[in-house]
Amino acid sequence: MSMGQSKSERFTDQYGNVHVNRTPIKALNPFVKASLLLTLKRDDIFVRENRRPGSDEYTAVDANGEEKFRFDNAWDYGYYVIYSGTGAILAEMDWYENDGNTNKQQQDIFDVLHKMIAKAEETQRIEEGRRNLTQEEFDALQSMGINIGRSM
């Protein structure tokens, strides 16, 4: 974990409220963002969720269990980072709710997080359905050549 420092500046909005604008330590490249979002749309991608006190981790894996990328959401510490499957940092930022502001660069990073959360919820529903297959459904899927034996 890099835990660098983001550049921050205070500004006053049109209503006189003071906010903090933080520049991400490593902004999310638009091409990388599009690639991550496209990866999450694939049918063979599942998102595993690991919740810990003060921090949540979402890991995108393919049907073979290979990690594609991971989002560490250390919300209690105000630190957010996206890692590639090889561990390279793709995006990194500080963000605090009491800043009262989310800028475009920060929102790009949050867009990936929100899609990962949605995919994790979908993955959980699918896994629950797999565990609750009837014998008839199990047999039908196997006859179609669908491997049912592994959890996601």
Side-chain angles (χ1 to χ4, degrees):
M1 191 151 55
S2 166
M3 294 291 284
Q5 276 300 104
S6 61
K7 211 169 55 174
S8 64
E9 61 187 9
R10 293 188 180 284
F11 70 96
T12 304
D13 68 15
Q14 62 191 13
Y15 305 107
N17 300 311
V18 176
H19 303 282
V20 177
N21 184 37
R22 296 178 195 274
T23 303
I25 300 158
K26 179 168 178 48
L28 184 58
N29 177 299
F31 182 79
V32 173
K33 177 184 176 182
S35 298
L36 297 176
L37 295 177
L38 283 173
T39 299
L40 289 172
K41 288 183 179 183
R42 290 179 19 196
D43 290 340
D44 68 332
I45 295 295
F46 308 97
V47 174
R48 295 182 184 144
E49 180 180 47
N50 181 18
R51 292 182 175 263
R52 301 177 304 268
S55 179
D56 301 324
E57 178 182 272
Y58 299 91
T59 305
V61 297
D62 66 14
N64 296 320
E66 181 182 336
E67 182 179 321
K68 297 301 180 184
F69 64 97
R70 180 178 82 241
F71 195 115
D72 284 347
N73 173 10
W75 47 269
D76 198 33
Y77 310 99
Y79 180 69
Y80 303 80
V81 62
I82 303 172
Y83 295 98
S84 72
T86 62
I89 293 177
L90 301 174
E92 179 180 21
M93 72 173 180
D94 297 318
W95 182 83
Y96 302 94
E97 190 172 2
N98 61 358
D99 286 350
N101 180 60
T102 304
N103 62 38
K104 170 72 172 112
Q105 290 177 317
Q106 291 169 321
Q107 191 58 53
D108 284 343
I109 295 170
F110 281 130
D111 289 347
V112 174
L113 173 62
H114 296 145
K115 292 293 184 184
M116 290 191 86
I117 291 170
K119 188 76 170 194
E121 291 169 354
E122 176 188 347
T123 298
Q124 189 175 28
R125 284 191 306 275
I126 291 169
E127 180 59 20
E128 185 177 318
R130 186 193 69 78
R131 285 191 309 267
N132 294 317
L133 287 171
T134 65
Q135 187 62 48
E136 182 180 42
E137 291 166 335
F138 182 89
D139 293 343
L141 291 172
Q142 276 200 321
S143 73
M144 295 166 48
I146 296 173
N147 182 0
I148 301 149
R150 277 181 56 184
S151 67
M152 297 169 221

